[in-house]
Amino acid sequence: MSLNDTIARVTDRIRERSLNSRATYLDRMAKAAEAGPRRAHLSCGNQAHAYAAMGGDKPELVASRQPNIGIVTAYNDMLSAHQPYETYPNLIRKAARDAGATAQVAGGVPAMCDGVTQGRAGMELSLFSRDVIALAAGVSLSHDTFDAALYLGVCDKIVPGLIIAAATFGHLPAVFLPAGPMPSGMPNDEKSKVRQQFAAGAIGRDALMAAEMASYHAPGTCTFYGTANTNQMLMEFMGLHLPGASFVNPNTPLRDALTVAGVERAAAITRLGNDYLPVGEVLDERAFVNGIVGLMATGGSTNLVIHLPAMARAAGIILDIADFHDLSEAVPLMARVYPNGLADVNHFHAAGGLGYMIGQLLDAGLLHADVKTIAGGGLDKYTAEPKVTDGRVTWVDGARQTLNDKILRPASDPFASTGGLRQLDGNLGRGVIKISAVAPDRHVIEAKARVFTDQEQVKAAFKAGEFTEDTIVVVRFQGPRANGMPELHSLTPILAVLQDRGLRVALVTDGRMSGASGKVPAAIHISPEAAEGGAIARVRNGDLLRLDAVTGTIDCLAEDFGNRHPATADLSANGHGMGRELFTAFRNHCTPATEGASLIV
């Protein structure tokens, strides 16, 4: 089928907007590639340092006739999603030797868990950790001894940070190796109910702890469809994973076989062979549009509305939140995965998963088929399903029919006609709202404002029983320049309790919600932020606000609103403790959330 008109129009708009920056980027990458394998230009002393610990691989490295693959790893055993990476380097080194190549761990990058830091001071480092990851990966690859790179990362900021680095070193081929989701534990909806019961005081901490431990119980990614699993979807839609690799459980024969196949592919696409594929050519405007289409079709994390513009800028491509809105209007919601449904990602994968979805979207003309991918060829290769036979991967035809239409539906009969992400614009500024899990009768909320400057104040007001009428909770001074833009996910149970009590409630904030945000209307990423004197800083308690996800507007209805001076806040406490003093430059100089909230791109 021919390409959908909206997909084509938005792609052309992005291409035109990015014409100069993309041309400059591609020229820079071409010059970086011209000299060929970089190791040949290192002095003997440089090389001796690089190969001193490589044992039996030294002769091949010195000869420079075989590809040398750099491994950039986000391994730590504090994140369940990244713990499986502990064993990857040895597996990769062996696979590289078998493929006629060598491999070295080029370096490690930090990987923090938002599930651990949620509601804590450490969360104020979370968003900016993406830029630190990119910087650390850049340091890893700066030794200039690699012909390709393997990126080992899964979670919230890690994959976006690694993409920024991969694009910066865009003359190198890049393969992303996932680790997979943990097996299913306590159903996510049951866990959510327990959290709400605890927030309402109906159960004690022992019951809450038991539920949480039953949910997060093994190595692998958390099984809800938050930012980590959205990242994995994105890498497949953008052609940087091998087909079907995203949601295979850790420590299984298929998982290991896919890792080996990824190493083989990295070795095959270096400049030393006949199939050179630098990642800068993969990361074009079509790949980013395909990623956004996947975001909408799956009901993915709102965090990617911040990350994707930053990722794209590293490749010379400029995205705007209007692109997300327009693509959302054209793309049907085909999946119901928690928090947008009851299923987890394992159930989604079993129902046909990404292969089925990509096939459907291609048939509907909603994806660019003619993109470059690490699999070699276009996106149609990603409709296949991997199988393991005698320790090796083969690909067979993937599902052509959904295997569970309560989880996954065809593009012609979706759960909703649009992706559920809306741009908001009004006298409060610009922002976004995700409505794929919000009941239609709550798409428009008009109510009086209660204004807070941090989430602890909201919790205190809830405990004091102060929310007794329809309310729009405004939490401001939570943007990137105020305090690093922490997620406000710990407000979700409280707001859900108020909504379940029959109140019409919503959240308006210049901060972020978690990728697991769900049924409560939340206008997020409001820009300009309060710390920059944005309009959200002029809201007062009792103002009548209107959040309208149908028309895409967000306004304060007070007659004198435009004439008010913006409120200020004492933000000095955000500048120290838990490492926050190290991130002063990030807070002072980052771009707005609508441009990626980044210091480095």
Side-chain angles (χ1 to χ4, degrees):
M1 179 176 287
S2 61
L3 191 64
N4 173 276
D5 288 344
T6 299
I7 306 299
R9 175 173 53 82
V10 173
T11 305
D12 288 343
R13 184 171 74 200
I14 295 169
R15 185 182 293 117
E16 180 66 25
R17 185 191 302 139
S18 310
L19 198 61
N20 292 334
S21 55
R22 179 67 174 170
T24 299
Y25 171 81
L26 290 175
D27 181 61
R28 202 165 58 236
M29 293 304 108
K31 289 177 179 176
E34 280 175 3
R38 308 304 296 179
R39 283 175 291 131
H41 304 285
L42 296 180
S43 73
C44 294
N46 294 150
Q47 292 190 61
H49 278 289
Y51 313 149
M54 290 303 290
D57 288 329
K58 283 185 182 181
E60 286 74 18
L61 285 163
V62 171
S64 297
R65 289 189 294 268
Q66 293 185 348
N68 187 36
I69 302 169
I71 306 167
V72 180
T73 178
Y75 161 73
N76 66 52
D77 58 11
M78 197 273 304
L79 274 76
S80 63
H82 286 199
Q83 187 275 338
Y85 285 136
E86 182 176 15
T87 61
Y88 274 42
N90 283 338
L91 179 62
I92 290 169
R93 281 189 281 261
K94 181 181 184 307
R97 293 185 195 109
D98 291 344
T102 54
Q104 296 177 279
V105 174
V109 302
M112 66 182 291
C113 180
D114 290 356
V116 176
T117 58
Q118 200 69 242
R120 311 289 298 174
M123 174 54 80
E124 297 181 16
L125 279 57
S126 175
L127 179 57
F128 292 144
S129 76
R130 179 197 63 199
D131 289 20
V132 174
I133 289 158
L135 294 169
V139 171
S140 300
L141 296 173
S142 68
H143 298 97
D144 211 12
T145 64
F146 306 111
D147 302 292
L150 294 172
Y151 294 93
L152 279 55
V154 174
C155 287
D156 295 28
K157 298 345 142 287
I158 295 90
V159 167
L162 292 176
I163 286 287
I164 292 171
T168 304
F169 287 79
H171 64 289
L172 292 178
V175 174
F176 279 67
L177 298 179
M182 68 177 68
S184 301
M186 172 181 275
N188 286 295
D189 60 320
E190 292 184 22
K191 174 193 68 181
S192 179
K193 289 177 184 176
V194 172
R195 287 178 173 176
Q196 290 184 37
Q197 289 170 345
F198 179 76
I203 61 171
R205 187 167 293 277
D206 289 349
L208 176 64
M209 187 64 182
E212 299 287 1
M213 293 291 282
S215 299
Y216 309 113
H217 63 95
T221 315
C222 306
T223 60
F224 61 83
Y225 195 52
T227 308
N229 285 317
T230 301
N231 286 339
Q232 303 312 292
M233 173 281 300
L234 198 71
M235 293 301 92
E236 201 150 330
F237 268 77
M238 293 179 70
L240 293 169
H241 277 176
L242 287 177
S246 297
F247 298 132
V248 175
N249 298 125
N251 304 315
T252 60
L254 180 55
R255 176 82 278 156
D256 288 347
L258 282 163
T259 299
V260 170
V263 178
E264 293 170 347
R265 192 61 192 152
I269 59 177
T270 75
R271 197 172 177 86
L272 291 170
N274 297 319
D275 199 15
Y276 177 50
L277 182 61
V279 72
E281 294 183 8
V282 176
L283 292 170
D284 66 8
E285 64 282 345
R286 296 168 302 169
F288 282 100
V289 167
N290 283 350
I292 297 172
V293 169
L295 180 69
M296 302 311 165
T298 59
S301 167
T302 55
N303 281 328
L304 271 299
V305 182
I306 295 176
H307 295 320
L308 275 162
M311 294 155 62
R313 280 176 182 268
I317 293 167
I318 302 171
L319 300 179
D320 186 83
I321 59 174
D323 302 326
F324 291 83
H325 176 91
D326 290 352
L327 291 171
S328 179
E329 290 296 291
V331 177
L333 179 67
M334 297 169 58
R336 285 287 190 201
V337 189
Y338 187 84
N340 303 323
L342 299 180
D344 67 22
V345 293
N346 293 310
H347 305 140
F348 167 78
H349 187 62
L354 297 179
Y356 169 78
M357 179 174 280
I358 289 172
Q360 284 285 310
L361 291 166
L362 284 170
D363 289 345
L366 292 167
L367 286 170
H368 290 279
D370 57 338
V371 290
K372 295 182 178 182
T373 73
I374 64 154
L379 202 62
D380 61 312
K381 283 193 175 248
Y382 286 76
T383 65
E385 180 180 354
K387 301 288 186 183
V388 62
T389 304
D390 297 328
R392 293 195 61 80
V393 175
T394 57
W395 277 268
V396 300
D397 289 342
R400 291 296 177 262
Q401 303 292 328
T402 177
L403 303 179
N404 188 332
D405 64 5
K406 294 181 180 178
I407 300 171
L408 189 56
R409 287 188 182 174
S412 59
D413 183 27
F415 292 102
S417 60
T418 69
L421 190 82
R422 303 281 172 81
Q423 177 184 217
L424 297 172
D425 207 343
N427 67 9
L428 281 177
R430 292 181 88 197
V432 296
I433 184 170
K434 176 182 173 183
I435 59 171
S436 52
V438 177
D441 65 343
R442 295 181 182 272
H443 288 181
V444 179
I445 302 289
E446 188 173 300
K448 292 180 180 179
R450 281 290 308 274
V451 182
F452 304 90
T453 56
D454 64 59
Q455 54 189 322
E456 293 306 315
Q457 294 174 352
V458 182
K459 295 175 186 178
F462 174 79
K463 290 178 181 178
E466 295 179 11
F467 295 108
T468 58
E469 60 180 350
D470 295 349
T471 305
I472 292 183
V473 176
V474 178
V475 186
R476 62 194 184 193
F477 296 101
Q478 301 298 305
R481 292 215 171 184
N483 63 351
M485 206 178 187
E487 289 183 346
L488 305 178
H489 182 49
S490 61
L491 295 181
T492 298
I494 291 172
L495 297 173
V497 167
L498 294 175
Q499 184 167 278
D500 289 348
R501 289 175 181 172
L503 299 181
R504 296 181 64 77
V505 295
L507 174 70
V508 173
T509 180
D510 50 8
R512 295 185 294 137
M513 286 296 282
S514 166
S517 57
K519 66 182 184 179
V520 177
I524 57 179
H525 311 171
I526 298 297
S527 184
E529 63 176 286
E532 291 290 286
I536 192 173
R538 300 202 300 266
V539 179
R540 298 173 182 168
N541 283 322
D543 281 348
L544 189 64
L545 305 186
R546 182 177 175 85
L547 168 58
D548 190 335
V550 178
T551 61
T553 55
I554 182 166
D555 293 290
C556 177
L557 304 183
E559 291 184 2
D560 66 337
F561 183 68
N563 298 322
R564 296 175 183 171
H565 292 292
T568 59
D570 180 2
L571 302 177
S572 59
N574 300 336
H576 58 84
M578 205 55 63
R580 287 178 287 185
E581 48 268 79
L582 301 174
F583 287 77
T584 301
F586 289 78
R587 292 190 298 273
N588 288 346
H589 301 293
C590 68
T591 58
T594 49
E595 297 177 17
S598 176
L599 174 67
I600 63 174
V601 291

